[in-house]
Amino acid sequence: MMATQTLQNQSLRGDLSFRESRTAQISLTEEQSAILKELIELKATTPLRFEIRTGRIGQNLKQKLDDLEALGLVKTRGLTVNTKETIYVPSPGARRFIAAREKAKRTKKR
């Protein structure tokens, strides 16, 4: 049993380091970064609500959120009951990614 648990722990550490290194390799445009930061503040939203709450009406945010999902920074939660729209939420790595990006910007300014 101990050996199984050790293998699981090693696998988990390997998965975490893979995700961290993968996240470190992602590069975003300034617009993608801004959208991700806004999504983190909203926590969970549909593309239409996102457009309304952030003043980004008509910017095709569904496609932009889908692009961030493809990078692993956003996840979908299913559909809303009334509008049949997908609900987007930041992935667990999104906050770390944005924090690391902001930290890198601050160190470059110095």
Side-chain angles (χ1 to χ4, degrees), residues 6 8 10 13-14 16 18 26-27 30 34 41 48 50 53 59 63 65 70-72 80-81 88 106:
T6 303
Q8 288 173 340
Q10 288 174 345
R13 279 194 296 261
L16 288 173
F18 171 76
I26 296 172
S27 64
E30 288 299 318
E41 290 173 13
L48 181 60
F50 191 99
R53 296 202 51 199
Q59 293 188 12
Q63 181 60 51
L65 290 167
L71 293 171
T80 61
V81 176
Y88 291 86
R106 285 191 304 268

Side-chain angles (χ1 to χ4, degrees), residues 36 39 65-66 68-76 88-91 94:
L36 186 58
L39 181 62
L65 290 167
D66 287 342
L68 290 170
E69 182 181 20
L71 293 171
L73 296 171
V74 172
K75 293 185 175 194
T76 55
Y88 291 86
V89 296
S91 70

